[in-house]
Amino acid sequence: MPSRVVNRLLGSVALFVVLGEPAAAQEGQVSGVIVEERTQTPLANVFVSVPGGTARATTDAAGRFRLTGLTGSEARLRVELIGYRTFEQTVRVGGPSLRISLQERAVELDALVVTGTAGAQTARAVGNAVSAVRAADLQKIAPATQVQDLLKGKVAGVDMIAGQGVLGTGGATRIRGSASLSLTNEPLIYVDGVRLDNNTQAGPSIRNGRQVSRLSDFDPEQIERIEIIKGPAAATLYGTEASAGVIQIITKKGIAGKPSLDLSVRQGANWFMNPEGRINHVYGRDANGNLLELDLLAQEAAAGRKIFSTGRLQGINAGFRGGTDALRYYLAANYDDDVGVVPYNWERRLNTRANVNVTLGSKADVASSMGFVHSKTRFAQALTAWGVIDQITWGSPARATGPTRGFLRAPPDVLDDIDTEANVNRFVGSLQLKYTPAKWLSNRLTVGGDVGEENNAIIVPRNPLGNQFFFGALSLGDITAERRRVTYTTFDYSSTASFDLSPALTSATSVGAQYYQKQSDLLTTHGTQFPSPSVASIGASAVTTASSTFLANKTLGLFVQEQVSWNNRVFLTAAVRGDDNSAFGANYDVATYPKFSATWVVNEEPWWHVSAVNALKLRGAWGRAGQQPDAFAAVQLYRPATGPGDQAVLTPQALGNPDLKPEVGQELELGFDAGLLDDRASIEFTVYDRSTRDAIVTATVAPSAGFPGTQFVNLGQVNSHGIEASVRGQALRARNLLWELGGTVATNSNKIIRLGVPPTTGTVQNREGYPVRSYFFYHVLSASLDANGQVVDAMCEGANGQPEPCSASTPRVYLGQPNPKLQLGLNTTLTLFNRLRLYALVDTKSGFVVNNGDVAASLGSIGNAKATNERNDPIVQTLQKYGWLQQNVGIMKGGFTKLREVSADYSLPARWLSRIGASQGSISVSGRNLATLWVAQQDMFGTKTLDPEIYATGQTQTMLPTMAAIVSTLRLTF
């Protein structure tokens, strides 16, 4: 960038004064900027013309256009863009620069869909629900640093499960709930047509396992939109592994026109909202039996050692794009430097991207997409049982005068001695060739890969006090180092031949092939006992061990599809795909997945005269998709061992199953998309019914087989169903006021129809007739205490649901399912004077339970809860009497409502921006997770839950909750 522009940019940060009106357009010209009415975002590639004349132009990346060579004092202007209503207005030639707002169509039938289709298809031809999120628009309203935040509460049927509040961690994704008994329920993730490593349990092994989501590697600022298909009916063409849905991330591309530079700077803060009101006091008894209470947060604050602080959030982003009709480019770089609520939790991340599109004559196009990320993260939850929440939640007043000051094992100020880090280098690239040798024939080839290297380390340095220090034997020095390399390779080819069979009837026949390969190589080393505090490495350790794991999987799929359409209003599609996968059993050949769909654009029929409904598409789809077994589930395995005479031998490890095949998801979905009241409102509605057959379960191996343990077999069946709806409308529309309301609602229920093996035992069980991984526990209905504090008249729920006296043989009973039955998202946007936008999003989940390990341990195994120590609650004492309190008593209702996002965004006037040469600019202030409005169950026997949201993954113990954050962002376009 020229130095003069840099100087002007730096000076603009403090320059908010009136600088005069912009210069008027020259005679014979009409110029201006075109924006989207709802978000006031500049629109690129808008076609501007004068009907009947030769003047025409296309807007650039900043939404700017200029028509020249006009005669007369006035001209009739026409503005057109797919997805928006055509705009026409008479304007003054040579007048001031125009600002034109285009109104989005409530239902866009001609927009292109690329996910779940043989080639890019118009939305009118797609028979299944496809949800699209315009990430580029959302980033200007409520900027996000995580991809999950772009989707949370915004897409019906998509549950973005929150991880803990530690920077660098992430959560799981569920689309239409869980449908597999033992395999992953994560959807496939693609970026620009290339399959990604979508591991949600990456990073070092900290509390409750690995907490990093690889989806967090991607920068929302570089994303144009996200498309989501939700089940087997839509995912047939993706075959094996796709039954849980598919998410496709489409990054920003270059635009023909004048080059533009987008710059943004963010500054913000994150903090632990109201820890004093959410973290439980700890209780105990002294030697005389007196009840003790300790507020650890207040104790540390009074001593000037406040545990939690306000963390800093900051980042800078630059995106440069432009080009010609033949060559278009997009270059971007983003750097984030964030600090969490404890100073030793931080994340530094650099994202770069280079996308280039080349048009080779009239028949070929080449698109390349390349992204690279380098990140380094240090975690607050450094090691199992050594996180800051562990020490507080499981503290004890009996230790208040000791060196731990009442905390579990160590005071919080020494926890940053444990250094737990993850270093990631990742490259994702794709090359797509489109070749149209004839008008009736098109070909598309996509090749690419995802190559990532993750280096994790957990280091406990040697302390001068040795094992007398807080960390015990670990204080002699301990290091775990891991190197994980994951590579995904994609080859995807499709060809479509289209013919006009009659003036009204057309046919499109597609064939295609996909090849996917993924490899994971993990090397783990461990060392103990460093020679001195200044040395911390594997090589310097007195005792070392090492292990390695290599996994590889390959899929080859072929498909054929036929689509016929009548008058571009009625579409019928049939397809079938066949897959072979390296994880299938040796006796199983090919998995076959069929698909049928139909759509009907009713409002375009000549007999349609319902003025209130200006767009109506009916749709239906039925299809199958698979879920492959784990890599070695079908293979007979042996493991090395030491035999007689210290000789190396092999011993049986797993029997394997040569007949093992994929789980098959089969789904029927029906729905409609409607635009109402002259595009002032829209409704998308879907009802679905899904069945997972040949579900993989584990069966006990007979001792006579000569192999220990269990065997994977295809015996189960899980059925699920639900509805999804999205609505959006303009509640009020005036000259300088636009008030919009929107919402999503989704329901989901599932049931195990057939298990094929005895039900599992314990707190989490799979039982026929109940949802997948349901919670079962002892349910004490009533009890009393006699004068001596002994339990009497205790009644429990029996196996038949009827009350019975509690006893050692009392059965566990069903308490609830882990996935929400109901999800709601409500949002509102108020736009004032085409400049100021106020936005809010409320997110609700209900109808499920969580297993709160903090509450369970405080009441039971740790025993520092008030109810446990007071010993006057008859239900608690009944649980204690039968030993149930120590097992897992923390099963609670998990519903909640959160104020997920609020923001204010102001578009800066042109007269403020002209002095620095900027064409667009805005300032936004946004907040996330600022309030919890409702909690289904706040406590159990007086012991409070820290945050119901973080327990939805089933990993429940001592995690930092989701943090509140406020971020201000300045955006400028040159």
PDB file of all heavy atoms in Angstrom, residues 353-380:
ATOM      1  N   ARG A 353      -4.579 -16.611   2.836  1.00  0.00           N
ATOM      2  CA  ARG A 353      -5.352 -17.250   1.765  1.00  0.00           C
ATOM      3  C   ARG A 353      -5.041 -16.577   0.433  1.00  0.00           C
ATOM      4  O   ARG A 353      -4.861 -15.344   0.368  1.00  0.00           O
ATOM      5  CB  ARG A 353      -6.859 -17.180   2.046  1.00  0.00           C
ATOM      6  CG  ARG A 353      -7.732 -17.707   0.905  1.00  0.00           C
ATOM      7  CD  ARG A 353      -9.105 -18.085   1.382  1.00  0.00           C
ATOM      8  NE  ARG A 353      -9.026 -19.210   2.325  1.00  0.00           N
ATOM      9  CZ  ARG A 353      -8.919 -20.485   1.948  1.00  0.00           C
ATOM     10  NH1 ARG A 353      -8.866 -20.802   0.656  1.00  0.00           N
ATOM     11  NH2 ARG A 353      -8.867 -21.433   2.862  1.00  0.00           N
ATOM     12  N   ALA A 354      -4.988 -17.410  -0.621  1.00  0.00           N
ATOM     13  CA  ALA A 354      -4.814 -16.923  -1.989  1.00  0.00           C
ATOM     14  C   ALA A 354      -5.735 -17.725  -2.898  1.00  0.00           C
ATOM     15  O   ALA A 354      -5.532 -18.930  -3.089  1.00  0.00           O
ATOM     16  CB  ALA A 354      -3.363 -17.072  -2.428  1.00  0.00           C
ATOM     17  N   ASN A 355      -6.772 -17.085  -3.420  1.00  0.00           N
ATOM     18  CA  ASN A 355      -7.709 -17.703  -4.358  1.00  0.00           C
ATOM     19  C   ASN A 355      -7.608 -17.011  -5.707  1.00  0.00           C
ATOM     20  O   ASN A 355      -7.641 -15.777  -5.779  1.00  0.00           O
ATOM     21  CB  ASN A 355      -9.144 -17.604  -3.843  1.00  0.00           C
ATOM     22  CG  ASN A 355      -9.384 -18.432  -2.605  1.00  0.00           C
ATOM     23  OD1 ASN A 355      -8.566 -19.282  -2.252  1.00  0.00           O
ATOM     24  ND2 ASN A 355     -10.493 -18.197  -1.926  1.00  0.00           N
ATOM     25  N   VAL A 356      -7.486 -17.796  -6.767  1.00  0.00           N
ATOM     26  CA  VAL A 356      -7.349 -17.254  -8.123  1.00  0.00           C
ATOM     27  C   VAL A 356      -8.307 -18.001  -9.039  1.00  0.00           C
ATOM     28  O   VAL A 356      -8.362 -19.237  -9.024  1.00  0.00           O
ATOM     29  CB  VAL A 356      -5.908 -17.390  -8.655  1.00  0.00           C
ATOM     30  CG1 VAL A 356      -5.820 -16.854 -10.071  1.00  0.00           C
ATOM     31  CG2 VAL A 356      -4.932 -16.651  -7.744  1.00  0.00           C
ATOM     32  N   ASN A 357      -9.065 -17.247  -9.835  1.00  0.00           N
ATOM     33  CA  ASN A 357      -9.948 -17.810 -10.852  1.00  0.00           C
ATOM     34  C   ASN A 357      -9.502 -17.316 -12.222  1.00  0.00           C
ATOM     35  O   ASN A 357      -9.325 -16.108 -12.425  1.00  0.00           O
ATOM     36  CB  ASN A 357     -11.395 -17.397 -10.602  1.00  0.00           C
ATOM     37  CG  ASN A 357     -11.946 -17.950  -9.310  1.00  0.00           C
ATOM     38  OD1 ASN A 357     -11.566 -17.522  -8.221  1.00  0.00           O
ATOM     39  ND2 ASN A 357     -12.840 -18.915  -9.419  1.00  0.00           N
ATOM     40  N   VAL A 358      -9.345 -18.262 -13.159  1.00  0.00           N
ATOM     41  CA  VAL A 358      -8.885 -17.934 -14.513  1.00  0.00           C
ATOM     42  C   VAL A 358      -9.900 -18.477 -15.507  1.00  0.00           C
ATOM     43  O   VAL A 358     -10.287 -19.652 -15.428  1.00  0.00           O
ATOM     44  CB  VAL A 358      -7.496 -18.531 -14.794  1.00  0.00           C
ATOM     45  CG1 VAL A 358      -7.042 -18.168 -16.206  1.00  0.00           C
ATOM     46  CG2 VAL A 358      -6.485 -18.051 -13.767  1.00  0.00           C
ATOM     47  N   THR A 359     -10.325 -17.620 -16.432  1.00  0.00           N
ATOM     48  CA  THR A 359     -11.210 -18.041 -17.512  1.00  0.00           C
ATOM     49  C   THR A 359     -10.378 -18.261 -18.764  1.00  0.00           C
ATOM     50  O   THR A 359      -9.712 -17.335 -19.258  1.00  0.00           O
ATOM     51  CB  THR A 359     -12.292 -16.979 -17.781  1.00  0.00           C
ATOM     52  OG1 THR A 359     -13.075 -16.805 -16.594  1.00  0.00           O
ATOM     53  CG2 THR A 359     -13.195 -17.405 -18.924  1.00  0.00           C
ATOM     54  N   LEU A 360     -10.400 -19.492 -19.272  1.00  0.00           N
ATOM     55  CA  LEU A 360      -9.622 -19.858 -20.453  1.00  0.00           C
ATOM     56  C   LEU A 360     -10.551 -19.928 -21.651  1.00  0.00           C
ATOM     57  O   LEU A 360     -11.096 -20.985 -22.000  1.00  0.00           O
ATOM     58  CB  LEU A 360      -8.923 -21.211 -20.233  1.00  0.00           C
ATOM     59  CG  LEU A 360      -8.008 -21.296 -18.997  1.00  0.00           C
ATOM     60  CD1 LEU A 360      -7.487 -22.710 -18.828  1.00  0.00           C
ATOM     61  CD2 LEU A 360      -6.857 -20.317 -19.133  1.00  0.00           C
ATOM     62  N   GLY A 361     -10.774 -18.789 -22.269  1.00  0.00           N
ATOM     63  CA  GLY A 361     -11.680 -18.744 -23.400  1.00  0.00           C
ATOM     64  C   GLY A 361     -13.118 -18.922 -22.942  1.00  0.00           C
ATOM     65  O   GLY A 361     -13.482 -18.635 -21.804  1.00  0.00           O
ATOM     66  N   SER A 362     -13.935 -19.428 -23.838  1.00  0.00           N
ATOM     67  CA  SER A 362     -15.357 -19.580 -23.541  1.00  0.00           C
ATOM     68  C   SER A 362     -15.713 -20.958 -23.032  1.00  0.00           C
ATOM     69  O   SER A 362     -16.871 -21.210 -22.667  1.00  0.00           O
ATOM     70  CB  SER A 362     -16.173 -19.306 -24.825  1.00  0.00           C
ATOM     71  OG  SER A 362     -15.806 -20.239 -25.848  1.00  0.00           O
ATOM     72  N   LYS A 363     -14.732 -21.876 -22.938  1.00  0.00           N
ATOM     73  CA  LYS A 363     -15.057 -23.249 -22.603  1.00  0.00           C
ATOM     74  C   LYS A 363     -14.468 -23.744 -21.283  1.00  0.00           C
ATOM     75  O   LYS A 363     -14.884 -24.794 -20.791  1.00  0.00           O
ATOM     76  CB  LYS A 363     -14.605 -24.183 -23.725  1.00  0.00           C
ATOM     77  CG  LYS A 363     -15.316 -23.935 -25.051  1.00  0.00           C
ATOM     78  CD  LYS A 363     -14.867 -24.932 -26.108  1.00  0.00           C
ATOM     79  CE  LYS A 363     -15.621 -24.717 -27.414  1.00  0.00           C
ATOM     80  NZ  LYS A 363     -15.204 -25.698 -28.451  1.00  0.00           N
ATOM     81  N   ALA A 364     -13.511 -23.057 -20.729  1.00  0.00           N
ATOM     82  CA  ALA A 364     -12.832 -23.588 -19.553  1.00  0.00           C
ATOM     83  C   ALA A 364     -12.621 -22.517 -18.493  1.00  0.00           C
ATOM     84  O   ALA A 364     -12.390 -21.347 -18.813  1.00  0.00           O
ATOM     85  CB  ALA A 364     -11.492 -24.205 -19.948  1.00  0.00           C
ATOM     86  N   ASP A 365     -12.720 -22.943 -17.261  1.00  0.00           N
ATOM     87  CA  ASP A 365     -12.430 -22.105 -16.108  1.00  0.00           C
ATOM     88  C   ASP A 365     -11.586 -22.909 -15.127  1.00  0.00           C
ATOM     89  O   ASP A 365     -11.824 -24.108 -14.919  1.00  0.00           O
ATOM     90  CB  ASP A 365     -13.713 -21.659 -15.400  1.00  0.00           C
ATOM     91  CG  ASP A 365     -14.515 -20.686 -16.230  1.00  0.00           C
ATOM     92  OD1 ASP A 365     -14.183 -19.498 -16.227  1.00  0.00           O
ATOM     93  OD2 ASP A 365     -15.480 -21.143 -16.875  1.00  0.00           O
ATOM     94  N   VAL A 366     -10.623 -22.239 -14.512  1.00  0.00           N
ATOM     95  CA  VAL A 366      -9.780 -22.864 -13.511  1.00  0.00           C
ATOM     96  C   VAL A 366      -9.862 -22.028 -12.245  1.00  0.00           C
ATOM     97  O   VAL A 366      -9.723 -20.801 -12.286  1.00  0.00           O
ATOM     98  CB  VAL A 366      -8.316 -22.972 -13.979  1.00  0.00           C
ATOM     99  CG1 VAL A 366      -7.454 -23.594 -12.884  1.00  0.00           C
ATOM    100  CG2 VAL A 366      -8.224 -23.800 -15.255  1.00  0.00           C
ATOM    101  N   ALA A 367     -10.102 -22.690 -11.116  1.00  0.00           N
ATOM    102  CA  ALA A 367     -10.167 -22.002  -9.833  1.00  0.00           C
ATOM    103  C   ALA A 367      -9.226 -22.689  -8.858  1.00  0.00           C
ATOM    104  O   ALA A 367      -9.301 -23.904  -8.664  1.00  0.00           O
ATOM    105  CB  ALA A 367     -11.586 -22.018  -9.285  1.00  0.00           C
ATOM    106  N   SER A 368      -8.340 -21.918  -8.274  1.00  0.00           N
ATOM    107  CA  SER A 368      -7.450 -22.455  -7.250  1.00  0.00           C
ATOM    108  C   SER A 368      -7.769 -21.775  -5.919  1.00  0.00           C
ATOM    109  O   SER A 368      -8.058 -20.581  -5.868  1.00  0.00           O
ATOM    110  CB  SER A 368      -5.983 -22.239  -7.612  1.00  0.00           C
ATOM    111  OG  SER A 368      -5.662 -20.856  -7.575  1.00  0.00           O
ATOM    112  N   SER A 369      -7.721 -22.571  -4.859  1.00  0.00           N
ATOM    113  CA  SER A 369      -8.011 -22.077  -3.516  1.00  0.00           C
ATOM    114  C   SER A 369      -6.925 -22.602  -2.594  1.00  0.00           C
ATOM    115  O   SER A 369      -6.713 -23.810  -2.500  1.00  0.00           O
ATOM    116  CB  SER A 369      -9.388 -22.567  -3.050  1.00  0.00           C
ATOM    117  OG  SER A 369      -9.604 -22.283  -1.689  1.00  0.00           O
ATOM    118  N   MET A 370      -6.213 -21.696  -1.921  1.00  0.00           N
ATOM    119  CA  MET A 370      -5.115 -22.097  -1.047  1.00  0.00           C
ATOM    120  C   MET A 370      -5.194 -21.330   0.262  1.00  0.00           C
ATOM    121  O   MET A 370      -5.262 -20.099   0.270  1.00  0.00           O
ATOM    122  CB  MET A 370      -3.762 -21.840  -1.722  1.00  0.00           C
ATOM    123  CG  MET A 370      -3.518 -22.678  -2.966  1.00  0.00           C
ATOM    124  SD  MET A 370      -1.925 -22.330  -3.747  1.00  0.00           S
ATOM    125  CE  MET A 370      -2.233 -20.678  -4.391  1.00  0.00           C
ATOM    126  N   GLY A 371      -5.187 -22.076   1.358  1.00  0.00           N
ATOM    127  CA  GLY A 371      -5.208 -21.456   2.677  1.00  0.00           C
ATOM    128  C   GLY A 371      -4.171 -22.088   3.574  1.00  0.00           C
ATOM    129  O   GLY A 371      -3.963 -23.309   3.554  1.00  0.00           O
ATOM    130  N   PHE A 372      -3.510 -21.262   4.375  1.00  0.00           N
ATOM    131  CA  PHE A 372      -2.502 -21.752   5.307  1.00  0.00           C
ATOM    132  C   PHE A 372      -2.735 -21.101   6.659  1.00  0.00           C
ATOM    133  O   PHE A 372      -3.017 -19.895   6.753  1.00  0.00           O
ATOM    134  CB  PHE A 372      -1.092 -21.414   4.816  1.00  0.00           C
ATOM    135  CG  PHE A 372      -0.011 -21.796   5.792  1.00  0.00           C
ATOM    136  CD1 PHE A 372       0.401 -23.115   5.919  1.00  0.00           C
ATOM    137  CD2 PHE A 372       0.579 -20.834   6.616  1.00  0.00           C
ATOM    138  CE1 PHE A 372       1.385 -23.473   6.827  1.00  0.00           C
ATOM    139  CE2 PHE A 372       1.560 -21.185   7.525  1.00  0.00           C
ATOM    140  CZ  PHE A 372       1.972 -22.502   7.627  1.00  0.00           C
ATOM    141  N   VAL A 373      -2.634 -21.912   7.714  1.00  0.00           N
ATOM    142  CA  VAL A 373      -2.794 -21.396   9.062  1.00  0.00           C
ATOM    143  C   VAL A 373      -1.627 -21.871   9.918  1.00  0.00           C
ATOM    144  O   VAL A 373      -1.193 -23.025   9.834  1.00  0.00           O
ATOM    145  CB  VAL A 373      -4.137 -21.844   9.688  1.00  0.00           C
ATOM    146  CG1 VAL A 373      -4.249 -23.359   9.753  1.00  0.00           C
ATOM    147  CG2 VAL A 373      -4.309 -21.247  11.083  1.00  0.00           C
ATOM    148  N   HIS A 374      -1.119 -20.953  10.712  1.00  0.00           N
ATOM    149  CA  HIS A 374      -0.131 -21.279  11.731  1.00  0.00           C
ATOM    150  C   HIS A 374      -0.657 -20.730  13.045  1.00  0.00           C
ATOM    151  O   HIS A 374      -0.990 -19.544  13.155  1.00  0.00           O
ATOM    152  CB  HIS A 374       1.229 -20.655  11.426  1.00  0.00           C
ATOM    153  CG  HIS A 374       2.196 -20.763  12.582  1.00  0.00           C
ATOM    154  ND1 HIS A 374       2.770 -21.947  12.958  1.00  0.00           N
ATOM    155  CD2 HIS A 374       2.641 -19.822  13.474  1.00  0.00           C
ATOM    156  CE1 HIS A 374       3.546 -21.748  14.018  1.00  0.00           C
ATOM    157  NE2 HIS A 374       3.489 -20.477  14.350  1.00  0.00           N
ATOM    158  N   SER A 375      -0.745 -21.598  14.042  1.00  0.00           N
ATOM    159  CA  SER A 375      -1.262 -21.149  15.327  1.00  0.00           C
ATOM    160  C   SER A 375      -0.456 -21.753  16.460  1.00  0.00           C
ATOM    161  O   SER A 375       0.124 -22.836  16.332  1.00  0.00           O
ATOM    162  CB  SER A 375      -2.733 -21.538  15.494  1.00  0.00           C
ATOM    163  OG  SER A 375      -2.888 -22.940  15.567  1.00  0.00           O
ATOM    164  N   LYS A 376      -0.434 -21.027  17.563  1.00  0.00           N
ATOM    165  CA  LYS A 376       0.211 -21.489  18.779  1.00  0.00           C
ATOM    166  C   LYS A 376      -0.712 -21.145  19.939  1.00  0.00           C
ATOM    167  O   LYS A 376      -1.126 -19.993  20.090  1.00  0.00           O
ATOM    168  CB  LYS A 376       1.579 -20.838  18.964  1.00  0.00           C
ATOM    169  CG  LYS A 376       2.374 -21.408  20.139  1.00  0.00           C
ATOM    170  CD  LYS A 376       3.792 -20.842  20.165  1.00  0.00           C
ATOM    171  CE  LYS A 376       4.607 -21.475  21.293  1.00  0.00           C
ATOM    172  NZ  LYS A 376       6.008 -20.965  21.321  1.00  0.00           N
ATOM    173  N   THR A 377      -1.027 -22.158  20.728  1.00  0.00           N
ATOM    174  CA  THR A 377      -1.990 -21.986  21.803  1.00  0.00           C
ATOM    175  C   THR A 377      -1.424 -22.541  23.100  1.00  0.00           C
ATOM    176  O   THR A 377      -0.810 -23.613  23.109  1.00  0.00           O
ATOM    177  CB  THR A 377      -3.305 -22.731  21.486  1.00  0.00           C
ATOM    178  OG1 THR A 377      -3.788 -22.310  20.210  1.00  0.00           O
ATOM    179  CG2 THR A 377      -4.345 -22.445  22.554  1.00  0.00           C
ATOM    180  N   ARG A 378      -1.628 -21.806  24.174  1.00  0.00           N
ATOM    181  CA  ARG A 378      -1.334 -22.317  25.510  1.00  0.00           C
ATOM    182  C   ARG A 378      -2.640 -22.387  26.276  1.00  0.00           C
ATOM    183  O   ARG A 378      -3.415 -21.423  26.292  1.00  0.00           O
ATOM    184  CB  ARG A 378      -0.334 -21.440  26.249  1.00  0.00           C
ATOM    185  CG  ARG A 378       0.073 -22.061  27.586  1.00  0.00           C
ATOM    186  CD  ARG A 378       1.130 -21.290  28.324  1.00  0.00           C
ATOM    187  NE  ARG A 378       1.414 -21.952  29.607  1.00  0.00           N
ATOM    188  CZ  ARG A 378       2.163 -21.414  30.554  1.00  0.00           C
ATOM    189  NH1 ARG A 378       2.719 -20.229  30.372  1.00  0.00           N
ATOM    190  NH2 ARG A 378       2.369 -22.063  31.685  1.00  0.00           N
ATOM    191  N   PHE A 379      -2.877 -23.532  26.914  1.00  0.00           N
ATOM    192  CA  PHE A 379      -4.179 -23.817  27.492  1.00  0.00           C
ATOM    193  C   PHE A 379      -4.204 -23.532  28.991  1.00  0.00           C
ATOM    194  O   PHE A 379      -3.212 -23.707  29.694  1.00  0.00           O
ATOM    195  CB  PHE A 379      -4.558 -25.282  27.244  1.00  0.00           C
ATOM    196  CG  PHE A 379      -4.667 -25.615  25.785  1.00  0.00           C
ATOM    197  CD1 PHE A 379      -3.562 -26.088  25.084  1.00  0.00           C
ATOM    198  CD2 PHE A 379      -5.849 -25.440  25.100  1.00  0.00           C
ATOM    199  CE1 PHE A 379      -3.644 -26.384  23.744  1.00  0.00           C
ATOM    200  CE2 PHE A 379      -5.948 -25.734  23.757  1.00  0.00           C
ATOM    201  CZ  PHE A 379      -4.839 -26.212  23.066  1.00  0.00           C
ATOM    202  N   ALA A 380      -5.394 -23.125  29.457  1.00  0.00           N
ATOM    203  CA  ALA A 380      -5.581 -22.878  30.883  1.00  0.00           C
ATOM    204  C   ALA A 380      -5.771 -24.191  31.637  1.00  0.00           C
ATOM    205  O   ALA A 380      -5.289 -24.352  32.746  1.00  0.00           O
ATOM    206  CB  ALA A 380      -6.785 -21.963  31.114  1.00  0.00           C
TER     207      ALA A 380
END
